Amino acid sequence: MESFDVIIVGAGLSGIGAAVHLHLHCPGKTFAVLESRDAIGGTWDLFRYPGVRSDSDMHTLGYNFKPWKNPNAIADGRTIRAYVREAAEEYGIAPHIRFKHLVRRLSWSSADALWTVEADHEERAVSFTARHVILCAGYYRYSAGYTPEFAGLSRFKGTLIHPQFWPEDLDYAGKRVIVIGSGATAVTLVPAIAEKAAHVIMLQRSPTYMVSLPAADPIANWLRKHLPIGLAYRLTRWKNVVLQLIFFNAIRSFPEQTRKRLLKLIREQLGPEYDLAHFTPRYNPWDERLCVVPDNDLFTAIKVGKVSIVTDHIDAFTEAGLKLRTGRELEADIIITATGLELQFAGGAEVSVDGRPIETGKTVLYKGIMFSGVPNLASVFGYTNASWTLRADLLVEYFCRLINFMDARAYVEARPKEPDPTMPVKPLGNLKSGYFKRAEERLPREGMKGPWRNHQNYAFDIFRFRFGAIDDGVLEFRRACDSRVAEISPALLAEARPD
Ligand SMILES: Cc1cc2nc3c(=O)[nH]c(=O)nc-3n(C[C@H](O)[C@H](O)[C@H](O)COP(=O)(O)OP(=O)(O)OC[C@H]3O[C@@H](n4cnc5c(N)ncnc54)[C@H](O)[C@@H]3O)c2cc1C
């Protein structure tokens, strides 16, 4: 059985980022990245539908250690994939990646202070041990997307596709296409397909808030032209962080005014006759993720008649397309179910501590990274109101600090204790999106105070993760020789420090 100091699960944006941080902040630590697929990039390698792109600007979705140099701030999947691969090459991460290793089980042994990581590799079971595990397995199931149970699905004679599994050779030129959904995927896919398709219908059960942004950021491009690349990147990053925070807080504080403003902007694009009911959700802005429409592409496609939006419920699939609840029938050659993702934690792996299975829904997240009662395990989950990587970078930097802190004191175990049972908790996240709701039972809980609170604020988190005390009385530490979790006195601590 091979042994490492750290095992990272997943070679997506977060996993490669985690490996680089480990390489930079914990030099000398041995590590392996176990990746179930045979490629780097995760989301940005898996999703291949036309137009696939980020919703966020790449100055904040990019790593803090690697400037984004492309003139487009909102980037396509291929460019993001290349960026992640480049990071892996630049920092020598690629040789540490074990492809086609699907992690099935993580078992902690307190006696050995080690994780045993079991994986499937080319129809063989393989095992590794590691002192620490960093889960960078994303948040959704790779093997299947979410498709609601539609009546008569098998009757449809045309082509049915889920965007998670886009057939490379799909010819949609001149075809009638229906895209079911109104989330980020549908909003991306619809204008991209409309370029070649005869007509595209975006069929939504309920509308989503949308806002148009320029794909290129002129300030970022100006800064990059006139300043050293690293400085230009940092300035743009901070500009965007501050703007996003202001924007998010203003939206949450003034939902009615925001709703009116967003609708006014769409009205300006689509003209006075257009029925804005298709863009007026029942919820408040940012209760669900706001969809970005780069350079008004969706609105332009609607204006030129290539796209129409239908707001209705599906009654059943028919041979020719769909029958809606209102009785209307839609015909299509291709139907795309952009109906979302299936939420999943730890890449679907079972986690146990000394033989006791851990149910994520029964744990409380400590500082948004570790699970109550579970030692030496980090889980990387980005922001829901800002770019994923802003938080992923900070979480892993914090975990590297924790590893170094433990090494300096000869600790082998760091375990967040169970929180006060009277503290109110709620499922993780502040979004009411369908995929969060569907997985509510399995979501780790977050508390209302202290390290149990999961802040969605990058500026606050910088202080918390980079400068906050590691030994905060909630993390319990143990040395190899301790038979139980030790309460370390300050005097003992000072004695244990190498200096
Ligand atoms: C279409 C789409 C667009 C998005 N756009 C944005 C955006 O604009 N801004 C934003 O902030 N976020 C966006 N997101 C969220 C996005 O997933 C994150 O930004 C980011 O890519 C997550 O990276 P990750 O490495 O944590 O997870 P992933 O990209 O999901 O990578 C996880 C990796 O772990 C591997 N893995 C999973 N389970 C196992 C296992 N059991 N064993 C071994 N390996 C495993 C997977 O194969 C994969 O390579 C988007 C998501 C999607 C689906």
Side-chain angles (χ1 to χ4, degrees), residues 5-10 14-15 18-19 21-22 103 106 108 115 117 130-138 345-347 349 351 353 358 360 363-382 388 391-403 406 413-416 444 465 475:
D5 293 318
V6 185
I7 282 183
I8 297 167
V9 181
S14 307
H21 282 296
L22 207 57
V103 174
L106 303 170
W108 173 259
W115 282 102
V117 180
R131 170 103 337 130
H132 303 274
V133 172
I134 307 179
L135 292 170
C136 294
F345 286 95
V351 181
V353 172
I358 300 296
T360 40
T363 61
V364 185
L365 268 186
Y366 167 80
K367 290 190 170 162
I369 181 172
M370 295 176 81
F371 302 92
S372 55
V374 183
N376 298 21
L377 180 69
S379 170
V380 174
F381 198 91
W388 181 275
R391 190 156 198 265
D393 274 339
L394 286 181
L395 292 178
V396 181
E397 280 177 16
Y398 165 79
F399 203 65
C400 290
R401 270 184 74 207
L402 172 63
I403 291 175
M406 290 171 70
E413 182 181 306
R415 182 191 307 236
F465 289 121
L475 258 193

Side-chain angles (χ1 to χ4, degrees), residues 8-16 34-37 39-45 47 49 52-58 61 80 101-104 119 135-140 142 184-185 188 289 341 344 346-349 380-383 386-389 392:
I8 297 167
V9 181
L13 191 61
S14 307
I16 298 301
L34 303 184
E35 166 56 54
S36 60
R37 303 175 70 241
I40 291 176
T43 298
W44 305 105
D45 185 71
F47 282 85
Y49 57 77
V52 59
R53 57 158 169 85
S54 66
D55 239 9
S56 320
D57 66 281
M58 287 307 299
L61 190 59
I80 303 175
H101 280 71
L102 173 69
V103 174
R104 291 276 189 204
L135 292 170
C136 294
Y139 59 100
Y140 61 86
Y142 267 65
T185 302
T188 305
R289 261 189 111 108
L341 308 165
Q344 177 177 267
V380 174
F381 198 91
Y383 290 118
S387 289
W388 181 275
T389 321

Side-chain angles (χ1 to χ4, degrees), residues 160-178:
L160 187 69
I161 289 161
H162 192 286
Q164 200 162 322
F165 307 99
W166 193 266
E168 236 174 81
D169 55 351
L170 181 77
D171 179 16
Y172 53 89
K175 303 271 168 63
R176 298 161 304 165
V177 182
I178 297 176

